[in-house]
Amino acid sequence: MGTQAGNRPHRIVIVGGGAGGLELATRLGDTLGRRGKADVTLIDRNRTHIWKPKLHEIAAGSMDIGDHEVGYLAQAHWHRFHFRIGEMTGLDRAQRLVHVAPFIDAEGQEVTPARSFAYDTLIISVGSQSNDFGTPGVRENAMKLETPADARRFHVRMVNACVRAHAQGTPLRPEQLHVAIIGAGATGVELAAELHHTTREVVAYGLDRVDADKDIKLSVIEAAPRVLPALPERLSSSTEKLLRSLGVDVHTNAKVAEVLPGGVRLADGRMLPAELVVWAAGVKGPEFLTRLDGLETNRINQLLVRQTLQTTLDDNIFALGDCAACPWPEKNGFVPPRAQAAHQQASHLLKQIRRRLDGKPLQDYRYQDFGSLVSLGEFSTVGNMMGGLAKGDLFIEGRFAKLMYTSLYKMHELALHGWVKVALDTLARMITRRTEPHVKLH
């Protein structure tokens, strides 16, 4: 497997530069690419990478995106892989070709034409997108947090809403300065807590005609009986109690019937006025995955893979992260779409690709659930530790939970940059944080 026709290096193509894809490309480049054993190419439709669990901080304005953005071209240069910009549109399994659409810039100019890239091993790591379940009005009237551009767009609209309310001479409309967040999973509750803090800081920057406690209203809407329905009940209860203490309206057992220009209509007929609506309920794989030359997908567009992370119909194609439906035999289900799963799968595939090139049989991937952590902004962090980190299920909160939450991101940074750069960057952020505003108003 390691010796190719004409003695060329093994061609590894990774589609998708999210947490798993970029970590894998970096580590493959640092090892196989540096030694000339493989030619590693990363394809993504964006120029830069942001760790997806950080999007709620960008949306709220509490994180400077420039401090955490990773440029794909620079990363590729320093870690011996190639970056090619574009969006995957198709696949030719017989010829082993990935088809990529032309890249068009913001001004409508074509930067790169339609292209095809040859592979010997293909890894698809394109993440997930929001699943609106066909709910009327979501596409037209709700915002989603799928990309950094989405998060920045929401932030600008939020700041503009505060400025507009301050400047107008008429009373506020019923929906003004009301934000409805549909979905009380980790993204929804983290965004609610972060917004409670940052909207008050925005108003404190001279928008004195807006009363944050009286005028700004945050609502979280969840169809399940409790917030954070996928996590332990004790964690859920603690989180809901904190949200309510902040003045966030929590609506559980509340199914959304329609999103309107001025609010949200629930299935029981209630209307919740809202100027800004965020859809954070459910995920699915990108639609194009269902059209990849016959590869099998499930009902939410995820590629079906075996325990080896190889797709069910093609041994040369792997999938990892949110876009992969990977069996979890211990739970008689599938690995959940979490950042820790993508990180684990990237580490597993790094070893398996080496075995593949050496002609050795591949080993099965086993998901290790180390628990879940939810950051509630300046107020708290809650979570549970499992697996090798604790016996049974240990509930944690406060400073220790915050430290564990931060460590997850540090593990991602270490995989991309190494400990020296991460240590220096962390020190620089600590210094500048003391002198800069906490909330970004760009």
Side-chain angles (χ1 to χ4, degrees), residues 31 109-110 121 143 156 165 183 188 204 283 310 325 335 363 365 420 434:
T31 53
Q109 297 294 314
E110 182 177 284
T121 297
M143 303 189 72
V156 169
V283 297
Q310 290 168 300
V335 174
Q363 298 169 322
Y365 164 69
V420 174
R434 294 176 181 271

Side-chain angles (χ1 to χ4, degrees), residues 113-179:
R115 296 178 286 175
S116 295
F117 296 90
Y119 67 86
D120 299 305
T121 297
L122 172 63
I123 299 137
I124 300 176
S125 178
V126 292
S128 60
Q129 60 188 38
S130 298
N131 189 353
D132 62 18
F133 307 103
T135 306
V138 173
R139 291 187 180 183
E140 299 82 5
N141 302 312
M143 303 189 72
K144 300 178 182 179
L145 298 184
E146 297 175 356
T147 66
D150 293 336
R152 285 192 293 259
R153 193 178 306 116
F154 173 85
H155 177 62
V156 169
R157 288 186 60 182
M158 182 200 74
V159 173
N160 286 347
C162 293
V163 173
R164 185 184 303 113
H166 168 77
Q168 73 185 47
T170 56
L172 297 181
R173 301 186 307 278
E175 75 277 6
Q176 268 193 276
L177 297 182
H178 289 202
V179 180

Side-chain angles (χ1 to χ4, degrees), residues 268-285:
D268 61 10
R270 284 181 293 163
M271 266 295 301
L272 301 179
E275 182 174 8
L276 296 174
V277 178
V278 179
W279 184 272
V283 297
K284 64 180 180 179

Side-chain angles (χ1 to χ4, degrees), residues 192-215:
E194 203 76 41
L195 281 175
H196 175 88
H197 172 67
T198 58
T199 51
R200 278 150 180 78
E201 289 209 359
V202 169
V203 169
Y205 289 162
L207 304 181
D208 48 278
R209 295 182 61 191
V210 175
D211 184 331
D213 293 328
K214 176 184 174 184
D215 298 330

Side-chain angles (χ1 to χ4, degrees), residues 299-319:
R299 60 182 179 80
I300 56 171
N301 304 340
Q302 291 175 310
L303 290 167
L304 298 183
V305 299
R306 289 166 274 162
Q307 287 291 130
T308 57
L309 299 181
Q310 290 168 300
T311 53
T312 53
L313 300 181
D314 197 318
D315 288 350
N316 299 311
I317 301 176
F318 297 73

